[in-house]
């Protein structure tokens, strides 16, 4: 084989190897970006879920507080009636 053909084959092999390496690099970048996007989406979802849970907890506690207040007022009214000091 002539020297020119050997150089040509070597250059061709080098070019193909470089193209393959660039494809791998791009594939790796794409996978990293996809992972980053999925992580961001999961973080956003977790944040929204936590906020929703917090809101539900606050509503639940407020409702239970109101129920306890009404029960206590009912007990006070019942005692007043029993003792005869209630408003007539």
């Amino acid at each position: 084989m002539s020297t020119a053909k050997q150089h040509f084959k070597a250059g061709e092999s080098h070019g193909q190897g470089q193209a393959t390496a660039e494809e791998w690099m791009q594939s790796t970048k794409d996978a990293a970006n996809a992972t980053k996007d999925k992580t961001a989406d999961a973080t956003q979802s977790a944040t929204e879920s936590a906020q929703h849970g917090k809101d539900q907890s606050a509503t639940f506690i407020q409702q239970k507080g109101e129920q306890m207040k009404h029960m206590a007022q009912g007990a006070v009214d019942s005692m007043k009636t029993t003792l005869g000091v209630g408003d007539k």
Side-chain angles (χ1 to χ4, degrees):
M1 186 182 287
S2 72
T3 305
K5 280 187 179 181
Q6 287 176 337
H7 287 291
F8 177 76
K9 290 281 186 189
E12 186 177 42
S13 294
H14 177 74
Q16 288 174 349
Q18 187 175 0
T20 301
E22 288 174 4
E23 289 173 8
W24 287 347
M25 288 296 294
Q26 187 59 46
S27 177
T28 302
K29 286 178 184 177
D30 292 345
N33 285 333
T35 301
K36 183 181 91 172
D37 292 344
K38 286 180 183 178
T39 301
D41 291 345
T43 301
Q44 181 65 29
S45 178
T47 300
E48 290 171 359
S49 180
Q51 183 61 43
H52 180 69
K54 180 181 172 185
D55 293 345
Q56 283 186 328
S57 294
T59 300
F60 175 79
I61 291 170
Q62 183 178 7
Q63 289 173 347
K64 292 302 174 188
E66 289 291 322
Q67 288 175 353
M68 290 179 70
K69 178 181 164 185
H70 291 294
M71 287 174 51
Q73 186 61 49
V76 168
D77 291 344
S78 177
M79 289 301 290
K80 284 182 178 180
T81 301
T82 301
L83 298 173
V85 294
D87 293 333
K88 293 185 181 183

